Amino acid sequence: MDENAAPLFRQVADLVEDSVVDGSLPEGDRAPSTNELAAFHGINPATARKGLTLLVERGILAKRRGIGMFVEAGARERILTRRRAEFAASYLAPLVDEAVKLEMTRDDVHSLFLRVAESRGLYE
């Protein structure tokens, strides 16, 4: 966990969401328990519980009394829809703000974007 980033409970929620998005935690499967997450990440169980509760509120996980939490049907698409809607404000606006401070041109930013994308295997 990165203690300098978002609150730990949000990091827990993001990690579980990432697992749903990448398919390592498919819809219908049981999600890691509060205690499993707490032990694995070395955090307080209350913090892990708060992250899982956030996912229940978002409709990503559903509680099944006595057996745990499970990934809801349609969870992956709900995550992608929300993240796409937040993408510009969360990632592009700060990037453009920093580029302006650095006096980079549109072409500079575009060229840099393409170089980074290619180095990550995108647009090959």
Side-chain angles (χ1 to χ4, degrees), residues 15-84:
L15 288 170
V16 173
E17 281 190 348
D18 288 347
S19 295
V20 173
V21 169
D22 72 19
S24 61
L25 183 59
E27 295 176 4
D29 276 17
R30 186 178 81 69
S33 71
T34 297
N35 290 333
E36 289 168 339
L37 287 168
F40 183 80
H41 295 291
I43 59 174
N44 187 307
T47 301
R49 185 177 313 106
K50 192 171 178 180
L52 292 175
T53 299
L54 178 62
L55 295 177
V56 169
E57 292 168 359
R58 290 179 177 171
I60 306 305
L61 300 179
K63 294 179 187 179
R64 294 190 190 159
R65 191 172 176 99
I67 56 174
M69 294 201 191
F70 290 78
V71 181
E72 288 273 58
R76 182 176 187 277
E77 193 54 42
R78 276 192 289 287
I79 294 166
L80 292 174
T81 298
R82 190 192 84 251
R83 287 185 175 186
R84 286 176 184 138

Side-chain angles (χ1 to χ4, degrees), residues 1-8 11:
M1 301 266 99
D2 183 358
E3 294 175 10
N4 296 322
L8 289 177
Q11 292 180 53

Side-chain angles (χ1 to χ4, degrees), residues 95-114:
L95 179 144
V96 170
D97 292 345
E98 186 65 14
V100 168
K101 289 177 195 172
L102 298 173
E103 299 177 356
M104 295 175 74
T105 67
R106 178 183 296 199
D107 289 338
D108 293 339
V109 173
H110 186 252
S111 177
L112 181 60
F113 174 83
L114 290 176

